[in-house]
Amino acid sequence: MSANDAAVTGRDAAGWLGSITAWADAQLERFTPPAVTRPERLHTAMRHAVFAGGKRLRPALVAALCEGCGAERAAAERPAAAVELAHTYSLVHDDLPAMDDDALRRGRPTVHVLWGDATAILVGDALQALAFEVLGDLERDGGAAVAILARAIGAAGMVGGQELDLDPALRLPGVEGIVDVHARKTAALFGACAELGALVAGASDQRPTARRFGVELGLAFQAVDDVLDVTGDSASLGKTPGKDAAHERDTLVGRLGLDGARRCADERIEAARSALADLALTDPGPAAAILERVVRRSS
Amino acid sequence: MSANDAAVTGRDAAGWLGSITAWADAQLERFTPPAVTRPERLHTAMRHAVFAGGKRLRPALVAALCEGCGAERAAAERPAAAVELAHTYSLVHDDLPAMDDDALRRGRPTVHVLWGDATAILVGDALQALAFEVLGDLERDGGAAVAILARAIGAAGMVGGQELDLDPALRLPGVEGIVDVHARKTAALFGACAELGALVAGASDQRPTARRFGVELGLAFQAVDDVLDVTGDSASLGKTPGKDAAHERDTLVGRLGLDGARRCADERIEAARSALADLALTDPGPAAAILERVVRRSS
């Protein structure tokens, strides 16, 4: 069965995706300390950020590659929780007044609005440490898993992308500069998710191709995001559209026009499909389902 | 040779300590990317924070336990760099206007003064990720090493202590509340340093006692700090004295008076000496030298 065939048989894939959110939430519940743990305010704020109704796309990617490589979903529990904790920490810090200054996320007040900037900084710091603690405690390959995540979210990856986002003068010129920010801010972590899935499945030889699939998926995600910010509604975008223009953000649509940005997104989606086809997955259905969800941005 | 004997034969121990700063700086140089790495501003700011003339007490503690357990100092390279990177990240975030609002550290402008709050937040975030990357890449026991550091600097440790420091209402009442903050903010990481030294030396059976030595050493360090803030000069304290009173900070001196705080510090020093004696180190000299430096606070 090819990846494209799997994507077409949509019913099972949709069922698989539907089961992931609750599974990911259960892992996060298992590894995030209860709110009554001292310091209570810190733990309450950490839980507010973690349990905010996310779709858990990154844990899904870990699980899809893990199962696709023939292992049980149980093997993906720790990396799935870790990548979502890392993603959540980045959202808490991005929302700070010193950064994007967002008062709402998913319709709820952000951490700094409820508990102040100092606690919001500490919530992000604690969630990052927790992500690595959860990975470090893996029975096998904990060190390798930590190195994969750390490179993806450090100065060469997510944090570096956030820094480049602060100031156009820091970026490469033109479209290359935009794609570079997409690659660091989003695609690096997507690549790590897919690679971690292959790692914990014991499929070391699949790691490079899994990573490539994740990176291309992340670039597609961001390209679709740029388009949806102009054309989409809140439901499909998952946030308020028109924010890029309001923030005078450098986007693919701004550089290439709407049609050019759409072409760019299509190319990235094709590259992700191609990487998925190159992966010799025993069950490509889940990974294909995630790709289709990124393309359609529905549900 | 007992730990006390080793402490008395001061010349070799002083020589050992003198050699550590340059060794630790060399490890940090090896693992911290050059300033010309994109994003250049982020990496320049990371290096400003890391190469600030610190005495590298935490790397020294890792090396002292590693060598004391009979291994070569080379085995301590990665954990020594990692603990200092983690310590440095915490200083950058502590100095932020939303936290302690410090414009100077070791006589130089702090990161947020030079590059703004957003970049300072990202510098701390990137240094934390780098600390875990360096540990995760250990040839053996990377996962275990990461778990030790993560627990020490997360919500149960350093970050939790910083949160408790924000607001007296969050703390336990009385002296217990002060010691609890010392334990989390400082002693947890000291404990991790000592335990990591034993871990990379392959002395797993020594890990709990090494940890106890580090924790007691950290508590002694903080108790001495409270006393020196009242009685010391800038040279012995390593920062401006009188800051605790100026910030209306809750200290042992404030609760117990100067004599009471001194007694408290002496008890902690004795506890650290006792833990050191319980460690069956092949060479207790380096660990004893660190303890004496903490007691005397002379370089």
Side-chain angles (χ1 to χ4, degrees):
Chain A
M1 186 165 78
S2 83
N4 285 337
D5 290 344
V8 174
T9 62
R11 190 169 308 186
D12 280 359
W16 185 89
L17 262 177
S19 72
I20 280 290
T21 309
W23 171 81
D25 282 349
Q27 305 321 313
L28 288 162
E29 183 59 60
R30 179 175 153 211
F31 296 115
T32 310
V36 296
T37 313
R38 283 202 330 115
E40 294 87 351
R41 186 175 70 180
L42 181 68
H43 286 98
T44 303
M46 286 166 71
R47 296 181 66 88
H48 174 86
V50 171
F51 299 105
K55 278 180 249 160
R56 312 307 190 193
L57 190 59
R58 288 158 193 82
L61 191 50
V62 178
L65 270 288
C66 175
E67 293 184 41
C69 290
E72 296 291 319
R73 194 185 293 180
E77 288 173 358
R78 285 181 176 272
V83 298
E84 192 70 5
L85 291 167
H87 173 58
T88 305
Y89 120 65
S90 78
L91 298 180
V92 174
H93 280 190
D94 284 2
D95 287 340
L96 283 165
M99 309 276 281
D100 290 353
D101 196 13
D102 273 316
L104 288 174
R105 181 167 289 277
R106 297 188 180 277
R108 304 156 76 226
T110 44
V111 174
H112 66 90
V113 168
L114 292 173
W115 291 285
D117 291 9
T119 293
I121 293 167
L122 295 173
V123 163
D125 292 346
L127 290 173
Q128 180 173 185
L130 184 58
F132 287 114
E133 181 183 331
V134 168
L135 273 189
D137 279 333
L138 271 170
E139 268 181 49
R140 281 193 320 158
D141 293 327
V146 164
I148 290 169
L149 181 63
R151 271 185 258 280
I153 69 175
M158 192 175 73
V159 171
Q162 191 64 24
E163 169 76 6
L164 292 172
D165 223 14
L166 291 175
D167 185 349
L170 302 173
R171 295 198 286 273
L172 297 170
V175 173
E176 195 186 354
I178 299 171
V179 175
D180 183 39
V181 171
H182 289 179
R184 292 169 185 257
K185 272 189 74 170
T186 304
L189 181 53
F190 273 57
C193 291
E195 189 175 358
L196 285 166
L199 174 77
V200 294
S204 280
D205 54 324
Q206 299 269 49
R207 278 174 58 183
T209 315
R211 177 182 196 78
R212 178 161 67 87
F213 170 64
V215 167
E216 293 296 349
L217 187 71
L219 291 171
F221 182 90
Q222 278 291 359
V224 169
D225 211 67
D226 275 11
V227 171
L228 280 176
D229 189 73
V230 178
T231 65
D233 53 30
S234 297
S236 56
L237 190 58
K239 58 189 178 192
T240 316
K243 275 186 67 173
D244 292 340
H247 283 74
E248 296 184 343
R249 211 165 258 159
D250 210 5
T251 67
L252 291 175
V253 176
R255 290 275 174 181
L256 302 170
L258 190 54
D259 285 348
R262 277 190 171 124
R263 267 196 304 277
C264 199
D266 287 344
E267 283 168 22
R268 291 302 176 183
I269 292 163
E270 265 320 297
R273 275 197 228 281
S274 164
L276 181 54
D278 290 345
L279 276 163
L281 297 181
T282 54
D283 178 10
I290 292 172
L291 175 57
E292 292 311 310
R293 176 181 280 187
V294 165
V295 173
R296 290 198 212 120
R297 273 305 172 80
S298 57
S299 82
Chain B
M1 185 165 77
S2 82
N4 285 337
D5 290 342
V8 174
T9 61
R11 188 166 314 183
D12 280 359
W16 184 89
L17 262 177
S19 73
I20 280 291
T21 310
W23 171 79
D25 282 350
Q27 305 321 312
L28 289 162
E29 182 59 59
R30 181 175 151 209
F31 296 116
T32 311
V36 295
T37 314
R38 284 203 329 117
E40 292 89 351
R41 187 175 72 181
L42 181 68
H43 286 98
T44 303
M46 287 167 70
R47 296 181 67 89
H48 174 85
V50 171
F51 299 105
K55 278 180 248 159
R56 315 304 191 192
L57 190 58
R58 291 159 190 81
L61 191 51
V62 178
L65 270 290
C66 175
E67 292 184 41
C69 291
E72 297 291 320
R73 194 186 291 180
E77 288 174 357
R78 285 181 176 273
V83 298
E84 192 70 6
L85 292 167
H87 173 57
T88 306
Y89 120 65
S90 78
L91 298 181
V92 174
H93 280 190
D94 285 4
D95 287 340
L96 283 165
M99 309 276 280
D100 291 354
D101 196 13
D102 275 314
L104 288 175
R105 180 165 292 275
R106 298 188 178 277
R108 303 155 77 226
T110 43
V111 174
H112 65 90
V113 167
L114 290 174
W115 291 284
D117 291 11
T119 292
I121 293 167
L122 295 173
V123 163
D125 292 346
L127 289 173
Q128 182 174 184
L130 183 58
F132 287 115
E133 181 183 332
V134 168
L135 273 188
D137 278 334
L138 270 170
E139 269 182 47
R140 282 194 318 159
D141 294 327
V146 164
I148 290 170
L149 181 64
R151 271 185 259 281
I153 68 174
M158 191 174 75
V159 170
Q162 190 66 21
E163 169 77 5
L164 292 171
D165 223 15
L166 291 176
D167 185 350
L170 301 173
R171 295 199 285 273
L172 297 170
V175 173
E176 197 186 353
I178 298 171
V179 176
D180 183 39
V181 172
H182 290 180
R184 292 168 186 259
K185 270 189 76 169
T186 304
L189 180 53
F190 272 59
C193 291
E195 189 175 358
L196 285 166
L199 174 78
V200 293
S204 281
D205 53 324
Q206 300 267 50
R207 279 175 55 183
T209 316
R211 177 181 195 80
R212 178 161 67 84
F213 169 65
V215 167
E216 293 295 350
L217 186 72
L219 291 171
F221 182 90
Q222 278 291 0
V224 169
D225 210 67
D226 276 12
V227 171
L228 280 177
D229 189 74
V230 178
T231 65
D233 52 33
S234 297
S236 57
L237 190 59
K239 59 190 178 190
T240 315
K243 276 187 67 172
D244 292 341
H247 282 76
E248 296 185 340
R249 211 164 258 158
D250 211 6
T251 69
L252 293 174
V253 176
R255 289 276 174 180
L256 301 171
L258 190 54
D259 285 348
R262 277 190 170 125
R263 268 196 304 276
C264 200
D266 287 344
E267 284 169 22
R268 291 303 178 184
I269 291 163
E270 265 320 297
R273 274 196 227 282
S274 164
L276 181 53
D278 290 346
L279 276 163
L281 297 182
T282 54
D283 177 9
I290 293 172
L291 176 54
E292 293 311 310
R293 177 182 279 187
V294 165
V295 173
R296 292 197 213 120
R297 273 309 171 79
S298 54
S299 61

